[in-house]
Amino acid sequence: MAVAELTTPTWTKQGLGSSHLSYLSARTSSCRRLSFRPLRRTHSSRISCSVNQTAQAPAAVETEVPKSNKPDCFGVFCLTYDLKAEEETKSWKKLINVAVSGAAGMISNHLLFKLASGQVFGPDQPIALKLLGSERSFQALEGVAMELEDSLFPLLREVQISIDPYEVFQDVEWALLIGAKPRGPGMERAGLLDINGQIFAEQGKALNAVASRNVKVIVVGNPCNTNALICLKNAPDIPAKNFHALTRLDENRAKCQLALKAGVFYDKVSNVTIWGNHSTTQVPDFLNAKINGLPVKEVITDHKWLEEEFTEKVQKRGGVLIQKWGRSSAASTAVSIVDAIKSLVTPTPEGDWFSSGVYTDGNPYGIAEGIVFSMPCRSKGDGDYELVKDVIFDDYLLKRITKTEAELLAEKRCVAHLIGGGVAYCDLPEDTMLPGEM
């Protein structure tokens, strides 16, 4: 995944018409006509912080840049993207703004084209993409924007690229936070939590300052549960319920393994829950899951396989993929992000549910409050969700839920300095390395 380095920019967003795609860039390019205007303010986003320090709020910096006139349109958009007069646009919905961090990375390379094509929000939903990259990935980000331009998506009305989250998150209704630093050789997990935590603390502040008050946030960058917690704690004006940590890929992996074992296609598998952390302590729940409407344990009678091989396969699937392919999952992660969004914007099928890492305050399961924990959810298709109450537990399931809960509580203590909890104290029970951290 691309590292979400955040540095002070030298430009700001332009007013854009809805009939053409525009690129906003802080650099000159031989094949782009670019425009600039003075900034009212920008934000320094480099924060230096260790696990025993308290993060400081970003300082405002005044920056002046030259003015120039922005052309009304350029290239193909002058000829083919002025669709105002066409009949089909009369039935289109209001434009939505979607931000993606780590936008030059492999996951985004799969995801962005699904978003732009209408596969995610629907064939009548015009979209503006706000792409956040880093200083070192900016040229690649320009290449991504060029590919989006060359794809001629009628629904894609605007593309903005920046290295400043305060620019990218302006008025967004969805924020897909993919960019994070991978764990390097010799790095302790506590160090990864601190480094990535600083990124997500800054992004939480930016969302709080400029995003829509009802923005939906999906955190993908690992460790995603605790990064989501940091982000929401730094965005107090946005409902905590609006923040999600991506565990849908784990759910999809669990459905695949159950389908293979039962000899059915995956669409016959339902009611699968991933409980807890996106780590090797996660709990794929086969007790409540169903195959062809029947409890999994009635269809798959090899209960030892369920408790041992199935659980371990799901927990370690990402690591095995890295060993086979030499890189972490990208396409399947992008698909799972799409699935996670669709689960919130379309009604959940009757009797089914989906997994998402959400804030635990008020949960009906007795799980500790104040953490982001993957649990079963249902949605009416309005972007919101409710926790499922009609689930059952046994000693096996409860024991494993307790273990993943303890890990998330330990991670919370490790990032206390980033969530207003005072001095951090790292006592992680074990190093449950996430797939893709190395």
Side-chain angles (χ1 to χ4, degrees):
M1 262 181 261
V3 180
E5 292 184 67
L6 308 176
T7 58
T8 304
T10 57
W11 51 271
T12 191
K13 178 182 175 182
Q14 301 289 330
L16 299 172
S18 62
S19 64
H20 62 275
L21 181 69
S22 299
Y23 294 104
L24 306 180
S25 172
R27 307 180 180 194
T28 58
S29 171
S30 60
C31 58
R32 288 287 181 274
R33 284 183 282 167
L34 307 171
S35 58
F36 307 89
R37 70 177 183 182
L39 282 179
R40 288 192 296 270
R41 68 169 187 176
T42 59
H43 298 258
S44 173
S45 44
R46 287 195 183 277
I47 302 176
S48 178
C49 179
S50 72
V51 294
N52 290 318
Q53 293 177 322
T54 302
Q56 300 297 318
V61 177
E62 295 294 333
T63 305
E64 293 289 332
V65 294
K67 291 183 179 180
S68 66
N69 293 324
K70 177 181 178 296
D72 290 336
C73 60
F74 58 84
V76 69
F77 303 108
C78 297
L79 302 174
T80 63
Y81 267 67
D82 188 4
L83 302 178
K84 288 182 179 179
E86 293 193 10
E87 187 69 25
E88 63 179 300
T89 63
K90 294 182 179 179
S91 63
W92 280 8
K93 298 176 182 176
K94 182 182 176 182
L95 179 83
I96 60 168
N97 297 290
V98 180
V100 180
S101 76
M106 289 182 59
I107 295 171
S108 296
N109 193 48
H110 293 277
L111 175 64
L112 292 172
F113 299 87
K114 295 179 183 295
L115 291 168
S117 68
Q119 293 181 47
V120 183
F121 293 102
D124 58 349
Q125 179 60 74
I127 187 171
L129 288 176
K130 318 287 190 176
L131 309 183
L132 180 64
S134 65
E135 179 68 30
R136 70 179 184 180
S137 72
F138 195 87
Q139 192 170 19
L141 198 60
E142 290 180 313
V144 171
M146 291 170 65
E147 279 211 286
L148 287 166
E149 177 187 31
D150 294 345
S151 297
L152 303 181
F153 293 116
L155 291 167
L156 183 58
R157 315 307 289 165
E158 178 185 329
V159 169
Q160 178 182 343
I161 59 177
S162 177
I163 60 174
D164 181 13
Y166 287 85
E167 290 286 336
V168 170
F169 295 158
Q170 183 72 48
D171 300 325
V172 296
E173 290 108 337
W174 288 84
L176 312 178
L177 306 185
I178 300 172
K181 182 179 178 62
R183 186 160 97 173
M187 182 184 292
E188 296 292 334
R189 186 149 184 229
L192 183 71
L193 283 164
D194 181 53
I195 292 171
N196 278 338
Q198 292 176 50
I199 294 171
F200 286 89
E202 177 68 5
Q203 291 183 357
K205 292 182 177 75
L207 287 165
N208 198 64
V210 300
S212 164
R213 296 302 82 185
N214 198 37
V215 62
K216 310 300 182 186
V217 183
I218 298 179
V219 177
V220 181
N222 284 321
C224 63
N225 292 63
T226 297
N227 285 341
L229 177 66
I230 293 167
C231 197
L232 74 87
K233 287 293 186 180
N234 282 275
D237 298 330
I238 298 171
K241 192 178 183 183
N242 289 15
F243 290 79
H244 298 256
L246 184 74
T247 57
R248 187 55 174 266
L249 179 55
D250 303 307
E251 177 189 322
N252 290 352
R253 288 167 170 167
K255 285 181 175 179
C256 175
Q257 295 304 313
L258 291 173
L260 285 168
K261 184 68 172 179
V264 300
F265 202 56
Y266 61 82
D267 63 348
K268 304 301 182 184
V269 183
S270 64
N271 302 86
V272 173
T273 305
I274 300 296
W275 295 93
N277 201 4
H278 175 60
S279 75
T280 56
T281 67
Q282 65 175 264
V283 186
D285 179 0
F286 54 82
L287 180 65
N288 290 281
K290 296 179 181 179
I291 297 175
N292 281 318
L294 297 173
V296 162
K297 293 181 75 172
E298 293 182 15
V299 178
I300 300 174
T301 57
D302 185 350
H303 296 171
K304 183 178 180 182
W305 179 88
L306 289 169
E307 292 181 1
E308 297 177 5
E309 188 174 344
F310 163 70
T311 298
E312 185 174 342
K313 274 189 174 183
V314 177
Q315 291 173 336
K316 298 182 178 181
R317 179 75 164 186
V320 172
L321 189 147
I322 292 171
Q323 292 174 356
K324 298 286 187 182
W325 201 31
R327 63 185 71 174
S328 58
S329 57
S332 58
T333 302
V335 168
S336 71
I337 296 170
V338 170
D339 290 342
I341 297 171
K342 285 184 174 180
S343 290
L344 293 169
V345 299
T346 57
T348 306
E350 184 68 29
D352 203 359
W353 59 68
F354 60 90
S355 302
S356 188
V358 294
Y359 201 48
T360 53
D361 280 16
N363 78 87
Y365 316 117
I367 294 166
E369 296 196 341
I371 56 178
V372 171
F373 198 94
S374 185
M375 298 181 282
C377 305
R378 289 192 181 110
S379 178
K380 296 178 182 178
D382 56 359
D384 203 354
Y385 66 91
E386 60 182 18
L387 294 176
V388 177
K389 295 180 180 178
D390 49 331
V391 295
I392 57 175
F393 299 90
D394 61 10
D395 290 341
Y396 174 90
L397 184 57
L398 287 171
K399 180 179 179 180
R400 280 150 183 80
I401 287 176
T402 299
K403 181 178 180 180
T404 196
E405 176 190 53
E407 181 180 58
L408 283 168
L409 288 169
E411 288 187 12
K412 180 182 179 180
R413 291 190 291 272
C414 202
V415 299
H417 60 301
L418 297 172
I419 59 175
V423 177
Y425 173 69
C426 288
D427 60 340
L428 297 174
E430 58 182 293
D431 194 351
T432 52
M433 185 177 67
L434 292 159
E437 283 185 355
M438 295 300 293

